[in-house]
Amino acid sequence: MNEFASLEAVLSGFRDMMWFPVALPLIAALPCVSDFYESWFGGSYYMLLSRKSRFRYAVDVLIKAALTSFFSVFAGCLLYAFMAGLKFPLLSSMPIASFESYLLYETDGTVFLKALFSVLHTSYVTSVLSVFSLILVLLLKDPFFAVSIPVLLEYLSIKVNEILGIYIYKNYMLSHMDVPAKVLGFSLLLPSEHLTMDQVFYYNFSLPYFIYFLGMLALMLLLCVIFIILVKRRNE
């Protein structure tokens, strides 16, 4: 963003920074992975198990991880918005010569509601990543890999998406052809693309965001079931 950017422009593009998709798995994993690793492979697990069942223990870990990661991202984004508000002016208060296009940024407050929705969506995706990181702790028995593997997957998905974008541009957009649903559907396999599904899901698939929300909820429940099964199958 340059010095003439408006607050609306900054808030609309808060996820456009290159490091954001890569850093998000760190934010998702760090609050929960280290604590769970110490509990699971340390002595505190047995003390907790004396007061609750394995199922209850697993559910408590999942709830704590999901809520911690959700509110960590949510609070961080709100802090970013507050600091941006101190630095960048509202579009309506800027001189005419510095105006961004009104076709891109609404001046009736809609952009702020969209930004809030994007923050909620990003926090939601982060909570799913946190559960995935917990499963990696159980499978790999190493907190470093439980954190670094999601980061690596995010980075690789960014590169794959760049290749996919070039492929779509050369094979469909240049010819003014519609992009097949199976090509667009491939983006659902790329972790980094889920950060912006609140904006592009309807455009790509002609389905309401609620369908995506339910799909991610089903994925979250599946990951939770896998985690609970792994906890209950632990050999003493």
Side-chain angles (χ1 to χ4, degrees), residues 123-136:
S123 303
Y124 178 49
V125 172
T126 307
S127 64
V128 178
L129 288 173
S130 68
V131 177
F132 176 66
S133 296
L134 290 178
I135 294 176
L136 290 180

Side-chain angles (χ1 to χ4, degrees), residues 52 55-65:
K52 62 180 71 173
F55 175 80
R56 183 61 187 176
Y57 169 79
V59 171
D60 288 347
V61 171
L62 290 169
I63 293 175
K64 180 181 178 181

Side-chain angles (χ1 to χ4, degrees), residues 102-212:
Y102 278 95
L103 297 177
L104 297 178
Y105 305 109
E106 301 89 341
T107 58
D108 59 355
T110 306
V111 66
F112 298 107
L113 293 178
K114 289 182 178 179
L116 178 60
F117 181 69
S118 295
V119 170
L120 291 171
H121 166 79
T122 305
S123 303
Y124 178 49
V125 172
T126 307
S127 64
V128 178
L129 288 173
S130 68
V131 177
F132 176 66
S133 296
L134 290 178
I135 294 176
L136 290 180
V137 172
L138 293 176
L139 295 177
L140 303 177
K141 302 179 181 180
D142 191 313
F144 173 77
F145 289 112
V147 174
S148 59
I149 287 179
V151 173
L152 181 61
L153 290 176
E154 287 282 350
Y155 179 77
L156 290 177
S157 72
I158 292 174
K159 298 304 178 181
V160 172
N161 185 60
E162 292 176 354
I163 298 174
L164 179 63
I166 295 173
Y167 172 81
I168 291 175
Y169 178 76
K170 289 184 176 180
N171 291 275
Y172 300 102
M173 297 183 67
L174 284 179
S175 303
H176 303 285
M177 299 171 56
D178 293 333
V179 183
K182 62 180 181 180
V183 176
L184 294 174
F186 181 76
S187 63
L188 294 174
L189 301 177
L190 304 177
S192 61
E193 286 302 286
H194 285 270
L195 291 183
T196 56
M197 281 297 165
D198 58 305
Q199 298 177 348
V200 303
F201 186 76
Y202 178 79
Y203 176 79
N204 287 346
F205 305 103
S206 300
L207 294 172
Y209 175 81
F210 183 68
I211 300 298
Y212 174 82

